[in-house]
Amino acid sequence: MRVFVAGASGAIGIPLVSQLVEQGHEVIGSYRSPGNADRVRALGAQPVPLDLLDPGAVRTAMLDAEPEAVIHQATALANARFFRNLDRAFAQTNRLRIEGTDALLAAAREAGVRRFIAQSFASYRYAREGGPVKTEDAPLDPDPPASARQTNIAMSHLDQAVTAAGGIALRYGGFYGAPNDGLAGPVRKRQYPIVGDGGGISSFIHVGDAAAATVLALGHDGPAIYNVTDDEPAPMSEWLPALAEALGAKPPRHVPRWLARLIAGDGMVVMAAESRGASNAKAKAELGWTLRYPSWREGFAAAYAPAVAAGSPSHPPA
Ligand SMILES: NC(=O)c1ccc[n+]([C@@H]2O[C@H](COP(=O)([O-])OP(=O)(O)OC[C@H]3O[C@@H](n4cnc5c(N)ncnc54)[C@H](OP(=O)(O)O)[C@@H]3O)[C@@H](O)[C@H]2O)c1
């Protein structure tokens, strides 16, 4: 299939393009930062510079590329600073999820594209009520923390716009295993504490497994939403010490909720102490997806062991 990947040079774009090419797809891969053309070309794709916030450029790129499928993996998180306000850190990503998605959908429609898949997010989105693990049809959090409201609106916009157009929204878990993994640095420096009892549930996914599910979704009819998460949603009190150990770091510190709220804001407290995880049962059943790392337990160890063994603070390749 001829596939247009928007965001081919990112954390998931890179393993995704590699897997698509390996499986015989012809890939046109867009990038944003000057200098990333060679990186995309080296993966075996045809590189195209593109700003998704320029609808005219999106239209031109799509009509030129004439793809059969579009996969939207563009975010702007590489240089994001995660302080108290998630919406501030995600401002550009939120635009890519709203304006970027709309521009891609309009261009894809005009170009007669048959399949449309886009990156969404599963962790920390489901309503904080009932059991610890949620399926795709569970209600989303009706009252997200004030500092994450716009981010939740943007993700919901993407889910709705993509499925209304007959496409597939993939609600990924928290990525790990990319060379620029955002979680490893703070955990290594003991800047990521367990908040309260650490009972909030997180869902993770290795970027290689996330890419594999995405390739499988290309062969599936929409509209659909899938949680693309691993088999073991887990409380922070379990996964964070395991991550610290995998990184060769000291165990995480503990802070009470009131102190975390003061330092890091409500969003952090909700994530750490109240959030729900996501079930991957639907993606496994309908896409025929099998995971190389069914649990973050073996995934963290595999992702970080090479760097730890080498005594290097740098991250291993995905
Ligand atoms: N589910 C998750 O947990 C999740 C999801 C996404 C990201 N992250 C994390 O966030 C960190 C950074 O992610 P990342 O490496 O994927 O980088 P990123 O900065 O989020 O970029 C992702 C992709 O979007 C492209 N892009 C950025 N702005 C664009 C625009 N205006 N128009 C079109 N394309 C645009 C980038 O191009 P260039 O690279 O050429 O700039 C890149 O190909 C990593 O630690 C990653 O694991 C986590």
Side-chain angles (χ1 to χ4, degrees):
M1 203 182 280
R2 194 167 158 80
V3 186
F4 188 99
V5 177
S9 49
I12 181 162
I14 291 172
L16 173 62
V17 171
S18 296
Q19 292 185 29
L20 286 167
V21 169
E22 258 168 46
Q23 294 186 30
H25 295 286
E26 197 182 340
V27 182
I28 301 99
S30 86
Y31 62 95
R32 171 78 177 122
S33 303
N36 271 340
D38 287 347
R39 172 179 273 192
V40 174
R41 192 176 294 110
L43 300 169
Q46 178 193 327
V48 177
L50 181 62
D51 180 358
L52 282 196
L53 301 178
D54 178 347
V58 174
R59 178 175 183 271
T60 302
M62 197 65 66
L63 294 176
D64 284 352
E66 297 183 326
E68 295 162 273
V70 170
I71 307 181
H72 173 8
Q73 299 287 7
T75 52
L77 298 171
N79 300 310
R81 292 275 169 273
F82 296 90
F83 293 123
R84 294 170 60 87
N85 192 316
L86 202 73
D87 283 346
R88 204 170 303 145
F90 272 73
Q92 191 74 351
T93 295
N94 292 342
R95 290 190 64 194
L96 290 169
R97 286 180 168 157
I98 297 176
E99 298 162 51
T101 300
D102 290 352
L104 276 174
L105 281 170
R109 200 170 298 121
E110 192 177 343
V113 171
R114 290 191 293 119
R115 288 265 194 269
F116 194 101
I117 298 170
Q119 174 183 151
S120 183
F121 192 57
S123 288
Y124 322 123
R125 277 188 79 195
Y126 290 104
R128 289 168 274 149
E129 61 187 21
V133 179
K134 303 298 183 188
T135 54
E136 291 81 350
D137 51 5
L140 298 174
D141 192 343
D143 186 25
S147 60
R149 218 158 269 159
Q150 296 310 317
T151 302
N152 278 269
I153 288 171
M155 291 187 288
S156 292
H157 174 91
L158 182 147
D159 290 353
Q160 285 160 14
V162 168
T163 52
I168 296 180
L170 298 177
R171 290 181 181 163
Y172 297 116
F175 287 162
Y176 69 90
N180 62 348
D181 195 316
L183 206 51
V187 174
R188 234 183 228 114
K189 292 184 213 151
R190 298 186 88 201
Q191 290 168 347
Y192 205 116
I194 293 176
V195 177
D197 67 356
I201 308 292
S202 295
S203 280
F204 287 101
I205 191 70
H206 189 286
V207 285
D209 281 330
T214 311
V215 176
L216 288 167
L218 266 186
H220 196 80
D221 286 333
I225 292 180
Y226 293 105
N227 291 333
V228 176
T229 53
D230 77 10
D231 291 356
E232 200 181 349
M236 180 189 225
S237 57
E238 283 187 34
W239 66 258
L240 187 47
L243 177 56
E245 192 181 337
L247 288 165
K250 288 185 181 162
R253 300 175 203 279
H254 288 255
V255 301
R257 287 168 69 123
W258 67 265
L259 185 57
R261 184 169 287 116
L262 207 66
I263 298 170
D266 269 359
M268 178 64 185
V269 175
V270 165
M271 263 192 257
E274 298 175 10
S275 63
R276 299 299 194 266
S279 161
N280 65 10
K282 182 180 174 190
K284 290 208 288 191
E286 293 189 10
L287 302 178
W289 178 44
T290 52
L291 287 82
R292 181 165 179 209
Y293 299 111
S295 166
W296 47 269
R297 291 184 195 276
E298 64 261 27
F300 286 169
Y304 305 115
V308 172
S312 153
S314 64
H315 308 311

